Amino acid sequence: MRYSMKLFLCGMLVCLAGLTLSPEPLHAQAKAKRGKKDADVPGVADYQSKNFMVRTDLPPDDAKDLLKRLETMLALIEKYFEQKLKSPIGMFVVKDINAWPKEALSQLDPAGLNSVQTGGGLTIGQTQTSNATGQVLDAKAVVYAVADRGTPQHEAVHAYCILSFGRTGPTWYAEGMAEIGQYWTDKGLGVHCHDIVMKYLKSQEPKELTEIVDVADSTGDSWENYAWRWVLCHMLANNPNYAPRFKPLGLGLLNGKDVTFETVYGPMAKEINFEYQFFLRHIDQGYRADLCAWDWKAKYTPCKGSTPFTAKVDANKGWQPSKISVESGQSYDYSSSGTWKTSATGTAVNADGGEEGAGRLMGIIFDEYKLSEPFNLGAYGSFTPPQSGSLLLRCEDKWHELADNSGKMQVRLKMTGKGNPLPMPDVKANAKDAPAKAAKTKSVEADKSK
Ligand SMILES: [Zn+2]
């Protein structure tokens, strides 16, 4: 059978070496060890688990911990792609290259050696593909990685993709997914990335989505580009508005099908772009893209007439539809009943909130994919929206700390001066230390801290 060979080089960035979680750069560690006796230098040994064969100079406990993390991450990847790894992944994981004897070094691929020496990682993959059918006949992958907390996991994602599908997909997808693997922790679904990456993302204007998915991009270009690919993949994988299409898209890309980001998400480009910008405006360690997902299906009715509308607001979610639309310059009344908490151990408060405004009921206006400044609401009062549009509500709390919130609020809304006055909130139901400030009319004030 005729076949073609394809060689993959999926490089982890050299510049990411500065991001390792070890307290000092690799070269400094090596320098420190050179003067010590051999007994102080851990030897190179092989470790094996079900799916990984790792040769490393890590101390035995660290090596076993690495295998455990790799196996746990692999189990999640296998579950996600619904495909078991076909053959084990061979890995060279280097803590201190000077600890490696000459014979061990001579077995390393020069490109792989170069990549770990410069503090990065490299996956060398080789596939045999049938010229007739395009089917992958055989695949091999070897990983070279520095022994930080992220690089072996990043490279292992590439190796899994090569071994399972014979390809890693376009750069934005390959590197975005490998970064998700790198940042994987067992601490839940929240955002988790290197602090320097977070700082960079917060300091930048969001990169255009079309630039992130540019097919002309190549692996190993810059750590900043990796950061954007990760942001996009994290959002698409975790936001329920996009996740159901993200997996088939990924499988299509990995199986060489004729699909692209544009063909899959083109029809929802406005929504994706809005949520991508929103994600980056509020991103921080622990931010939950699932809890802050936008409800695009909600219908908004103009708030007119004498019958009040009732909205339900959960404390642990982002902006939620009130299901009414409002007019700029018009006054509206609100009355909120219920209590909620903005932390697992905190005190329940009413919609006026507690200390520093945490737990206060907030409003925002959405119109044509643009948001107004958020404004304060509370337990009882009136407001005049800063512009016309759909009203959304939320419980004030740090955007990356919503997951531990609990409780919900029932908010009654109506046009001021129409029908009967709204009932006062049930004060007894509210916490003692947060008395309802009843009958106080509030004017809209933009939250300057946003
Ligand atoms: Zn990579």
Side-chain angles (χ1 to χ4, degrees), residues 356-434:
E356 291 169 9
R360 174 184 282 275
L361 181 70
M362 301 291 292
I364 203 164
I365 307 297
F366 172 92
D367 185 45
E368 294 292 321
Y369 298 92
K370 288 206 169 65
L371 291 172
S372 72
E373 287 293 321
F375 48 88
N376 292 336
L377 298 171
Y380 193 78
S382 315
F383 72 101
T384 307
Q387 64 175 76
S388 302
S390 309
L391 172 69
L392 292 102
L393 305 167
R394 75 177 280 248
C395 169
E396 174 67 17
D397 191 16
K398 292 194 178 95
W399 277 97
H400 62 288
E401 291 178 2
L402 299 183
D404 62 354
N405 294 1
S406 59
K408 58 181 68 184
M409 210 55 75
Q410 206 176 50
V411 185
R412 265 174 272 203
L413 296 146
K414 72 168 194 67
M415 212 182 229
T416 304
K418 294 264 181 172
N420 298 325
L422 291 175
M424 296 280 288
D426 182 359
V427 191
K428 274 175 265 170
N430 294 333
K432 276 186 225 142
D433 58 347

Side-chain angles (χ1 to χ4, degrees), residues 9-13 121 123 154-155 158 174-176 178-179 219-220 226:
L9 292 174
C10 301
M12 182 66 182
L13 291 167
T123 300
H154 174 109
E155 298 301 329
H158 289 320
E175 299 304 343
E179 288 296 84
T219 192
Y226 276 49

Side-chain angles (χ1 to χ4, degrees), residues 5-70:
M5 298 277 289
K6 193 176 173 196
L7 190 71
F8 288 90
L9 292 174
C10 301
M12 182 66 182
L13 291 167
V14 168
C15 18
L16 279 178
L19 308 179
T20 59
L21 300 181
S22 56
E24 47 184 353
L26 275 177
H27 63 270
Q29 288 178 8
K31 214 171 174 183
K33 275 176 186 166
R34 239 171 264 147
K36 293 184 180 178
K37 282 181 222 151
D38 282 356
D40 294 333
V41 181
V44 173
D46 290 337
Y47 300 85
Q48 195 164 353
S49 61
K50 189 176 160 221
N51 293 293
F52 293 92
M53 294 182 301
V54 176
R55 177 163 294 176
T56 182
D57 59 310
L58 277 169
D61 285 352
D62 292 356
K64 283 169 200 157
D65 179 60
L66 171 65
L67 279 177
K68 210 171 132 191
R69 277 189 285 124
L70 288 168

